[in-house]
Amino acid sequence: MASVDARTIVSLLREYAQRTALRGGNPYRAKAYARAADSLAALAVPLDVLIAEDRLTEIPGIGEAIAGIITKLHKTGTHPSLEKLRKEIPEGVLEMLAVPGLRPEKVLRLYKDLGITSLAELEAAAKDDRIKKVKGLGAALQTKILQNLAIAKSGEGRLHLHRAAALLAHAKDSLRKAQPELKRVTIAGDFRRGCELVGDLAIVAEVPKAGKSSKLSPAAGLQVRLSDRKHFGATLLFATGSAAHIEQLRTLAVQKEMRLEADGLHKGRTLIAGDEAEIYRALGLPFIDPELREGRGEVELAQKGKLPKLVTDKDLRGILHCHTDASDGTETLETMAKATRQRGFEYFGVADHSKSAHYAGGLSEDEIAQQHRDADRLNKRFGKDFRILKGIESDILADGSLDYAEDVLQRFDFVVASIHGRFKLDRKAQTQRLLRAISDPHTTIIGHMTGRQLQRRPGYEIDIEKVLRACAKHDVVVEINAHPWRLDLDWRWHQAALEFGCMMSINPDAHSVPELDHMHWGVEMARKGGVPADRVLNAMALPEITRYLRQKRRSVARAA
């Protein structure tokens, strides 16, 4: 039989991963198949070439064993192990694994006890109250299913930002090696726009020979657009999107008696602009940063000369909200601080979990005192150019109070107040809970305000506008949590926060040294939300932020 294409193999690997998860046993095996499928979906070199040249193991996440499976799938369109798994579970059952919080063992129960074989049947069963009656499933799972079905549908086929980054970097590198004649290779699509979930994996490459742009699709999920130098900018513009932004530019072009096409901006038969910046300039606009291109008023702002100067990675002077092995981190305070300093930052804000967070090794008062002694010792060694700031991530209790007494809270340089439990309070109660925490004069920053985890769980129900107004009133900073699973507060609320008068803080919520680099994803979200550097707390230099935090503590002391 003819060999199977990459798109089909990606689908077969995903099926392999899902059926392996339902079988039980080692959960990492199923995850390995899923990651391999993601990697194959972003290939920049034809799969049959890699197989012929025995180069499959060059692909991220593919070792010898999975390479053998891929080769067998490529040759025959199936695999004996896959065929064996197919006899155990109907195909429609696999759909239910896309629902966040619905673990494989629960999916099996739903199939075996209720005969559910699809997402549609699952939704119907939940709405008919049939799930909560089954022992081992219950009302809580039924509620979670109803809440998370929308996530399963909306997030289908999309990757977290950091995962997309790794796949696109590999695709870019592979394309350069496969076609060394290419002069420019640039990432476009959702990723260039800084979207928190990426479904449009796209690359634009410049070919040396003049000619019309063309499209190359070496894998299931990757689009490579080839363009000559003359039309490269226009190709990049269209490959970046969004569709709404491009449509607004086209409308503006018509108003100016021009025509914007995929190969550039035309006036009559003349191409007047093929470079991206030139296209904007010819339309009477300044360059619009890719992160803003969502058709949400950025063209009008550009026409009025009111586009924000977006924060950059280089603007950030320090890192706040990090964890150490004193609570649930993996590294010591000294190791985390030194790694922060090596990255060129001026301060490291430790914020381990507080005493109520038993699950995360929250700090007792004695442990706080010890950590502060350690920080003082290290600060003497670091000198004036770098400093550990003493913070805590204090749990917001169900009634909105923080979980230390005032005399303990007063010892910290800053306090990140966060919700880590009781997510199911109703909207009014959850909002009041946050409002009380914000009104506590010790609160410096509200951490991950909505508690969402992308493609895992929705945020808890709160009146975000009311919460943001309270933050502005009480001079409490709004966190942009840079962990790629959170990216909370959602960028769509950043403009409202700025308009109300809030300061923002881009925090990695790092629990290890590598996670310090999550900062970049927080910057991407801030840029997408239109946040300038002068509204970011940790864009302050060390003298400025220590003065800011000192004044905050003095105001607390005066209020007491």
Short mmCIF file of all heavy atoms in Angstrom, two decimals, residues 373-398:
data_model
loop_
_atom_site.label_atom_id
_atom_site.label_comp_id
_atom_site.label_asym_id
_atom_site.label_seq_id
_atom_site.Cartn_x
_atom_site.Cartn_y
_atom_site.Cartn_z
N ARG A 373 16.34 35.71 58.04
CA ARG A 373 17.76 35.72 58.43
C ARG A 373 18.64 35.31 57.26
O ARG A 373 19.69 35.91 57.01
CB ARG A 373 17.98 34.77 59.62
CG ARG A 373 17.46 35.32 60.95
CD ARG A 373 17.97 34.49 62.13
NE ARG A 373 17.42 33.14 62.15
CZ ARG A 373 16.29 32.80 62.76
NH1 ARG A 373 15.56 33.72 63.41
NH2 ARG A 373 15.86 31.55 62.75
N ASP A 374 18.18 34.31 56.51
CA ASP A 374 18.93 33.87 55.32
C ASP A 374 19.00 34.98 54.29
O ASP A 374 20.05 35.21 53.67
CB ASP A 374 18.26 32.64 54.70
CG ASP A 374 18.36 31.41 55.58
OD1 ASP A 374 19.23 31.38 56.47
OD2 ASP A 374 17.57 30.47 55.37
N ALA A 375 17.90 35.69 54.10
CA ALA A 375 17.87 36.80 53.13
C ALA A 375 18.81 37.91 53.56
O ALA A 375 19.54 38.48 52.72
CB ALA A 375 16.45 37.32 52.97
N ASP A 376 18.82 38.24 54.84
CA ASP A 376 19.71 39.28 55.34
C ASP A 376 21.18 38.90 55.11
O ASP A 376 22.00 39.73 54.70
CB ASP A 376 19.47 39.53 56.83
CG ASP A 376 18.14 40.21 57.10
OD1 ASP A 376 17.60 40.85 56.17
OD2 ASP A 376 17.63 40.09 58.23
N ARG A 377 21.49 37.64 55.39
CA ARG A 377 22.87 37.16 55.20
C ARG A 377 23.28 37.26 53.74
O ARG A 377 24.37 37.73 53.41
CB ARG A 377 22.96 35.71 55.70
CG ARG A 377 24.30 35.03 55.42
CD ARG A 377 24.31 33.61 55.98
NE ARG A 377 23.18 32.82 55.55
CZ ARG A 377 23.10 32.20 54.36
NH1 ARG A 377 24.10 32.32 53.50
NH2 ARG A 377 22.04 31.47 54.06
N LEU A 378 22.40 36.81 52.85
CA LEU A 378 22.71 36.84 51.42
C LEU A 378 22.78 38.26 50.89
O LEU A 378 23.63 38.59 50.05
CB LEU A 378 21.66 36.03 50.65
CG LEU A 378 21.72 34.52 50.86
CD1 LEU A 378 20.45 33.86 50.33
CD2 LEU A 378 22.95 33.93 50.19
N ASN A 379 21.92 39.13 51.38
CA ASN A 379 21.93 40.52 50.92
C ASN A 379 23.24 41.21 51.27
O ASN A 379 23.74 42.06 50.51
CB ASN A 379 20.73 41.28 51.50
CG ASN A 379 19.45 41.00 50.73
OD1 ASN A 379 19.49 40.59 49.57
ND2 ASN A 379 18.31 41.20 51.37
N LYS A 380 23.80 40.89 52.42
CA LYS A 380 25.11 41.46 52.78
C LYS A 380 26.17 41.03 51.78
O LYS A 380 27.05 41.80 51.40
CB LYS A 380 25.50 41.03 54.19
CG LYS A 380 24.73 41.73 55.30
CD LYS A 380 25.19 41.25 56.67
CE LYS A 380 24.38 41.93 57.78
NZ LYS A 380 24.78 41.44 59.13
N ARG A 381 26.07 39.76 51.35
CA ARG A 381 27.03 39.24 50.39
C ARG A 381 26.84 39.85 49.00
O ARG A 381 27.79 40.13 48.28
CB ARG A 381 26.90 37.72 50.31
CG ARG A 381 28.01 37.03 49.53
CD ARG A 381 27.71 35.57 49.30
NE ARG A 381 27.40 34.87 50.54
CZ ARG A 381 26.96 33.62 50.55
NH1 ARG A 381 26.73 32.97 49.42
NH2 ARG A 381 26.70 33.03 51.72
N PHE A 382 25.57 40.05 48.61
CA PHE A 382 25.30 40.59 47.28
C PHE A 382 25.72 42.05 47.14
O PHE A 382 26.05 42.52 46.05
CB PHE A 382 23.80 40.47 46.95
CG PHE A 382 23.35 39.06 46.68
CD1 PHE A 382 22.17 38.58 47.25
CD2 PHE A 382 24.08 38.22 45.85
CE1 PHE A 382 21.74 37.29 47.01
CE2 PHE A 382 23.64 36.92 45.60
CZ PHE A 382 22.47 36.45 46.18
N GLY A 383 25.67 42.82 48.22
CA GLY A 383 26.02 44.23 48.15
C GLY A 383 24.87 45.09 47.67
O GLY A 383 23.70 44.69 47.73
N LYS A 384 25.18 46.26 47.15
CA LYS A 384 24.15 47.25 46.82
C LYS A 384 23.47 47.03 45.47
O LYS A 384 22.42 47.62 45.21
CB LYS A 384 24.78 48.65 46.83
CG LYS A 384 25.29 49.09 48.21
CD LYS A 384 25.87 50.48 48.14
CE LYS A 384 26.38 50.94 49.52
NZ LYS A 384 26.97 52.30 49.46
N ASP A 385 24.06 46.22 44.60
CA ASP A 385 23.55 46.10 43.24
C ASP A 385 22.45 45.06 43.07
O ASP A 385 21.83 44.97 42.01
CB ASP A 385 24.69 45.77 42.27
CG ASP A 385 25.72 46.89 42.21
OD1 ASP A 385 25.32 48.05 42.43
OD2 ASP A 385 26.89 46.59 41.95
N PHE A 386 22.25 44.24 44.10
CA PHE A 386 21.22 43.20 44.00
C PHE A 386 20.66 42.95 45.40
O PHE A 386 21.40 42.99 46.39
CB PHE A 386 21.81 41.90 43.45
CG PHE A 386 20.78 40.80 43.26
CD1 PHE A 386 20.03 40.73 42.10
CD2 PHE A 386 20.57 39.86 44.25
CE1 PHE A 386 19.08 39.74 41.93
CE2 PHE A 386 19.61 38.86 44.10
CZ PHE A 386 18.86 38.81 42.93
N ARG A 387 19.34 42.65 45.43
CA ARG A 387 18.73 42.46 46.75
C ARG A 387 17.61 41.42 46.68
O ARG A 387 16.85 41.37 45.71
CB ARG A 387 18.16 43.77 47.27
CG ARG A 387 17.53 43.66 48.66
CD ARG A 387 17.12 45.01 49.18
NE ARG A 387 16.37 44.88 50.43
CZ ARG A 387 15.85 45.91 51.09
NH1 ARG A 387 16.02 47.14 50.62
NH2 ARG A 387 15.18 45.72 52.21
N ILE A 388 17.55 40.61 47.73
CA ILE A 388 16.39 39.74 47.93
C ILE A 388 15.32 40.53 48.66
O ILE A 388 15.58 41.08 49.74
CB ILE A 388 16.77 38.49 48.75
CG1 ILE A 388 17.78 37.63 48.01
CG2 ILE A 388 15.52 37.67 49.09
CD1 ILE A 388 18.36 36.50 48.84
N LEU A 389 14.14 40.62 48.08
CA LEU A 389 13.00 41.26 48.74
C LEU A 389 12.20 40.18 49.45
O LEU A 389 11.90 39.13 48.87
CB LEU A 389 12.13 41.99 47.71
CG LEU A 389 12.81 43.13 46.95
CD1 LEU A 389 11.88 43.70 45.88
CD2 LEU A 389 13.24 44.23 47.91
N LYS A 390 11.84 40.45 50.69
CA LYS A 390 11.16 39.44 51.53
C LYS A 390 9.64 39.55 51.35
O LYS A 390 9.03 40.52 51.78
CB LYS A 390 11.51 39.67 53.00
CG LYS A 390 13.01 39.66 53.29
CD LYS A 390 13.27 40.19 54.70
CE LYS A 390 14.75 40.39 54.95
NZ LYS A 390 14.99 41.07 56.25
N GLY A 391 9.09 38.54 50.70
CA GLY A 391 7.65 38.53 50.49
C GLY A 391 7.02 37.23 50.94
O GLY A 391 7.69 36.33 51.45
N ILE A 392 5.72 37.13 50.76
CA ILE A 392 4.96 35.93 51.08
C ILE A 392 3.77 35.87 50.13
O ILE A 392 3.25 36.91 49.72
CB ILE A 392 4.48 35.93 52.55
CG1 ILE A 392 4.02 34.54 53.01
CG2 ILE A 392 3.36 36.95 52.75
CD1 ILE A 392 5.13 33.58 53.27
N GLU A 393 3.38 34.67 49.72
CA GLU A 393 2.11 34.53 49.01
C GLU A 393 1.09 34.07 50.05
O GLU A 393 1.00 32.90 50.40
CB GLU A 393 2.19 33.51 47.87
CG GLU A 393 0.88 33.47 47.08
CD GLU A 393 0.91 32.55 45.87
OE1 GLU A 393 1.79 31.68 45.80
OE2 GLU A 393 0.03 32.70 45.01
N SER A 394 0.37 35.04 50.57
CA SER A 394 -0.56 34.79 51.66
C SER A 394 -1.91 34.33 51.13
O SER A 394 -2.50 34.98 50.27
CB SER A 394 -0.73 36.06 52.50
OG SER A 394 -1.56 35.82 53.61
N ASP A 395 -2.37 33.19 51.63
CA ASP A 395 -3.67 32.68 51.22
C ASP A 395 -4.78 33.64 51.65
O ASP A 395 -4.78 34.14 52.78
CB ASP A 395 -3.93 31.32 51.85
CG ASP A 395 -3.54 30.18 50.93
OD1 ASP A 395 -2.63 30.38 50.10
OD2 ASP A 395 -4.12 29.09 51.03
N ILE A 396 -5.69 33.89 50.71
CA ILE A 396 -6.91 34.62 51.05
C ILE A 396 -7.91 33.59 51.57
O ILE A 396 -8.33 32.70 50.84
CB ILE A 396 -7.48 35.35 49.83
CG1 ILE A 396 -6.46 36.36 49.27
CG2 ILE A 396 -8.79 36.05 50.18
CD1 ILE A 396 -6.89 37.02 47.97
N LEU A 397 -8.27 33.69 52.83
CA LEU A 397 -9.18 32.74 53.43
C LEU A 397 -10.60 32.95 52.92
O LEU A 397 -10.88 33.92 52.21
CB LEU A 397 -9.12 32.85 54.95
CG LEU A 397 -7.71 32.65 55.56
CD1 LEU A 397 -7.75 32.78 57.07
CD2 LEU A 397 -7.10 31.31 55.14
N ALA A 398 -11.49 32.05 53.26
CA ALA A 398 -12.85 32.10 52.72
C ALA A 398 -13.57 33.40 53.02
O ALA A 398 -14.40 33.87 52.23
CB ALA A 398 -13.66 30.91 53.25
#
